[in-house]
């Protein structure tokens, strides 16, 4: 029973290349999350402007969306290992630029934004190639376990990385934080160099990049199960993502100050980490579409519970943790459906569309939550968003019965 519950480490044990890819990413992702704290801290220290800090998200979002589609097409056309090496080198170059900026007395703001944009553009090429490579590194029946291991990697860094970054900045300064980030990419590059090449699945003439991108979107036509994996995530993130309201709720509803605000941001990640560590059972689930629908329903209900708990801070944190655990389960099954049903020659492009949804949804959710809160109240915005999320799941289940009936191993 315990073996079916706890995280399945089999992919790390049986696949040398997956093991190298995973540990290299673990090291570099830790460094990336250290810089995630350092850059906003530096921009606010320079400007004293929350808006200037917010612009960091914009300059990172735009290249990520623009280049992820191109990155997916490139990932299907070249050796993915080589593309990963180049993208990791690009991210390291961005970190070295930030080291230089930290050594200046007052670096120009555009210089910091440029480094942030370069890092984001490099990630746009890295993420589709990394995601598309995994199904070729592990057996099909262990794919969901491999994706769960990646989720553990992300969630550990979501919780630990910023805390480590804050300590490094306080004790050693910004330059050290950026330098450690840069050095961690060397570990990822070394791991990639030790892996076998990952050439493209098909040989011969490659279509132009724009044609390749169109092929990726054309593949989705008529494939309602795959499209539903995108729609259900957009439903959860647009309506049920209240993170933009955390600052006002921390001050006006909970009265907890900056320390409590940090706990609000950390709670979903902590819940997701626990949820990911207890995913030994996911590879035994066959009705994966139904599992996604249930997970997103739990997410929406937990967000409603969070909105109703504004007089009980610890209870509210508990609901956010439950939401995070549900979200990681949804992510595992959605990724498994995508990666197991798409041919390798298109996997990079479809992964890039998936990444666009995952990145864009929460930012649209920030906008939705802020607009509704402005028109009504923050608490109403949270609760109504959770209700809309649950309603959206019901509508999708009725509108696309193929999704709720989807069974692992069937064509999606």
């Amino acid at each position: 029973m315990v073996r079916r519950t706890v995280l399945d480490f089999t992919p790390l044990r049986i696949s040398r290349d997956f093991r190298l890819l995973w540990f290299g990413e673990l090291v570099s992702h830790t460094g990336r999350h250290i810089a995630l704290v350092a850059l906003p801290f530096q921009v606010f220290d320079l400007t004293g402007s929350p808006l200037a800090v917010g612009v960091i998200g914009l300059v990172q979002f735009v290249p990520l969306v623009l280049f992820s589609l191109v990155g997916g097409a490139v990932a299907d056309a070249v050796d993915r290992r080589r593309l990963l090496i180049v993208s990791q080198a690009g991210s390291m170059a961005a970190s070295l630029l930030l080291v230089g900026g930290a050594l200046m007395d007052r670096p120009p703001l555009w210089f910091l934004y440029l480094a942030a944009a370069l890092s984001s553009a490099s990630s746009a090429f890295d993420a589709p190639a990394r995601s598309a490579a995994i199904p070729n590194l592990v057996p099909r029946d262990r794919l969901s376990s491999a994706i769960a291991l990646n989720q553990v990697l992300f969630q550990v860094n979501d919780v630990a990385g910023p805390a480590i970054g804050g300590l490094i900045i306080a004790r050693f300064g910004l330059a050290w934080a950026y330098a450690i980030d840069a050095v961690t990419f060397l570990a990822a590059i070394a791991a990639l160099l030790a892996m076998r090449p990952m050439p493209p699945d098909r040989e011969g003439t490659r279509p132009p990049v724009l044609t390749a991108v169109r092929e990726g979107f054309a593949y989705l036509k008529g494939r309602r199960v795959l499209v539903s994996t995108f729609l259900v995530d957009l439903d959860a993130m647009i309506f049920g993502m209240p993170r933009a309201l955390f600052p006002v709720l921390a001050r006006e509803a909970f009265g907890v100050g900056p320390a409590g605000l940090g706990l609000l941001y950390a709670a979903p990640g902590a819940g997701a980490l626990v949820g990911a560590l207890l995913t030994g059972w996911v590879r035994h689930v066959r009705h994966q579409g139904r599992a996604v629908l249930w997970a997103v329903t739990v997410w929406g209900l937990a967000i409603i519970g969070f909105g109703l708990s504004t007089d009980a801070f610890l209870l509210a944190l508990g609901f956010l943790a439950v939401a995070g655990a549900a979200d990681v389960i949804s992510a595992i099954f959605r990724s498994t459906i995508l990666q197991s049903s798409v041919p390798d020659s298109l996997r990079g492009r479809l992964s890039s569309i998936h990444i666009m949804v995952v990145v864009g949804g929460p930012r649209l959710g920030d906008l939705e939550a802020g607009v509704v809160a402005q028109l009504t109240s923050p608490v109403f915005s949270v609760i109504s968003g959770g209700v809309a999320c649950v309603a959206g799941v019901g509508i999708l289940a009725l509108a696309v019965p193929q999704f709720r009936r989807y069974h692992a191993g069937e064509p999606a």
Side-chain angles (χ1 to χ4, degrees), residues 9-368:
F9 289 94
T10 303
L12 290 174
R13 190 177 71 251
I14 65 176
S15 173
R16 172 183 176 274
D17 281 354
F18 178 73
R19 188 162 61 246
L20 287 166
L21 186 71
W22 193 87
F23 279 107
E25 177 70 355
L26 176 65
V27 176
S28 67
H29 209 67
T30 301
R32 193 172 302 170
H33 276 69
I34 290 172
L36 193 69
V37 175
L39 184 58
F41 178 88
Q42 184 178 17
V43 170
F44 187 76
D45 187 55
L46 284 170
T47 65
S49 168
L51 177 61
V53 177
V55 172
I56 297 173
L58 178 63
V59 300
Q60 291 176 327
F61 174 70
V62 172
L64 188 61
V65 170
L66 291 178
F67 288 110
S68 61
L69 291 176
V70 177
V74 174
D76 287 334
V78 304
D79 185 320
R80 288 169 182 158
R81 184 190 70 145
R82 187 178 303 169
L83 178 58
L84 287 169
I85 292 171
V86 172
S87 63
Q88 291 288 297
S91 295
M92 184 171 68
S95 298
L96 291 174
L97 285 176
L98 290 170
V99 172
L103 295 175
M104 300 178 189
D105 286 336
R106 292 191 63 83
L109 202 55
W110 65 263
F111 182 85
L112 301 179
Y113 289 156
L114 175 65
L118 175 59
S119 175
S120 185
S122 298
S123 296
F125 285 91
D126 184 273
R130 189 174 298 274
S131 181
I134 292 174
N136 294 330
L137 303 180
V138 298
R140 185 185 178 91
D141 65 336
R142 299 289 177 173
L143 178 58
S144 59
S145 298
I147 293 172
L149 283 164
N150 271 1
Q151 288 295 325
V152 168
L153 182 156
F154 298 145
Q155 304 309 330
V156 165
N157 285 312
D158 282 347
V159 176
I164 296 171
L167 292 174
I168 291 172
I169 294 168
R171 188 171 181 83
F172 302 107
L174 285 165
W176 273 98
Y178 293 134
I180 291 172
D181 180 28
V183 169
T184 60
F185 289 110
L186 292 176
I189 292 172
L192 290 165
L193 289 171
M195 293 172 60
R196 291 186 296 270
M198 294 183 282
D201 183 57
R202 61 182 186 181
E203 300 297 333
T205 303
R206 304 291 175 188
V209 170
L210 291 180
T211 301
V213 171
R214 284 197 297 269
E215 285 180 356
F217 281 101
Y219 182 80
L220 291 174
K221 186 177 181 180
R223 290 176 168 84
R224 303 184 74 190
V225 172
L226 282 180
V227 173
S228 296
T229 64
F230 301 146
L231 293 178
V232 75
D233 188 52
L234 286 173
D235 171 54
M237 294 298 102
I238 292 175
F239 296 111
M241 172 55 80
R243 65 180 185 182
L245 305 177
F246 285 171
V248 64
L249 289 171
R251 185 180 65 184
E252 297 181 2
F254 297 114
V256 292
L261 175 61
L263 291 177
L264 288 174
Y265 279 112
L273 175 58
V274 173
L277 289 172
L278 300 176
T279 52
W281 54 274
V282 297
R283 66 188 180 91
H284 303 289
V285 175
R286 312 310 298 166
H287 293 283
Q288 295 175 344
R290 193 179 304 167
V292 172
L293 293 172
W294 276 114
V296 177
T297 299
V298 172
W299 163 276
L301 293 173
I303 294 301
I304 294 171
F306 169 68
L308 294 172
S309 304
T310 52
D311 57 347
F313 183 60
L314 292 180
L315 181 61
L317 292 178
F319 277 119
L320 287 178
V322 170
D327 184 50
V328 80
I329 299 302
S330 167
I332 289 169
F333 284 119
R334 285 186 290 105
S335 296
T336 301
I337 293 171
L338 175 69
Q339 300 297 348
S340 63
S341 60
V342 175
D344 186 68
S345 60
L346 285 164
R347 200 171 280 142
R349 280 165 281 183
L350 270 296
S351 295
S352 69
I353 297 172
H354 173 75
I355 291 162
M356 282 183 59
V357 170
V358 170
V359 170
R363 285 157 178 80
L364 293 175
D366 291 344
L367 178 62
E368 184 274 341

